[in-house]
Amino acid sequence: MTAKEILEWVAVFLVLFGSIISVISAFGLIKLPDVYTRSHAATKSSTLAVLACLLGAFIYFWSHDGYVSIRLILGIIFVFITAPVAGHLVCRAAYRSRVPLAENSGEDELKSVLFDGDLAAVTISEEESKDR
């Protein structure tokens, strides 16, 4: 095998790996219980999947055609920067909008810091304790 063929196989492996991770991410979006864990599945694993596919495409075009795609490089940088930030902002907006955590979540340590003295937070926590 030549170096060109090896690089093409690496590109195929990366695209296949990205596709598998993307399917796993989709199952996570369906099966996970609340917005916070779903956001984690959507941002972390989907970011890895998209980056692997784009990197595989970049390596393929570079090894096969000798073409360095600036669009693919910019796509990799854009996804690497924006997807985790978007996931963080979605979770932060959901938390500040008081979207409840899943029932089997651990202790909410941020609640006393952000909503201390807030009447709505006290009312919500009283209703949650009555439900349990």
Side-chain angles (χ1 to χ4, degrees):
M1 288 181 80
T2 64
K4 182 178 177 179
E5 290 174 344
I6 292 172
L7 283 175
E8 287 177 3
W9 277 105
V10 168
V12 167
F13 174 75
L14 283 172
V15 171
L16 181 64
F17 174 73
S19 301
I20 292 169
I21 296 297
S22 181
V23 169
I24 292 170
S25 176
F27 284 134
L29 284 173
I30 294 169
K31 297 296 278 182
L32 291 172
D34 61 354
V35 69
Y36 308 105
T37 54
R38 286 179 184 160
S39 175
H40 181 76
T43 56
K44 302 295 185 220
S45 57
S46 293
T47 301
L48 177 64
V50 170
L51 290 178
C53 287
L54 289 176
L55 186 61
F58 177 79
I59 290 173
Y60 176 78
F61 286 123
W62 177 57
S63 67
H64 189 264
D65 297 335
Y67 176 70
V68 175
S69 176
I70 299 299
R71 289 181 184 171
L72 286 172
I73 293 172
L74 290 174
I76 290 169
I77 293 169
F78 182 75
V79 169
F80 186 72
I81 292 173
T82 59
V85 173
H88 174 74
L89 291 176
V90 166
C91 285
R92 184 176 176 176
Y95 188 80
R96 289 185 180 262
S97 298
R98 295 185 178 89
V99 174
L101 296 167
E103 290 181 15
N104 57 357
S105 293
E107 185 177 333
D108 187 6
E109 296 176 0
L110 192 57
K111 189 175 200 177
S112 63
V113 175
L114 284 180
F115 303 123
D116 193 29
D118 189 3
L119 182 60
V122 172
T123 307
I124 290 172
S125 64
E126 289 174 0
E127 291 174 4
E128 287 176 357
S129 63
K130 287 179 187 176
D131 292 338
R132 292 182 186 177

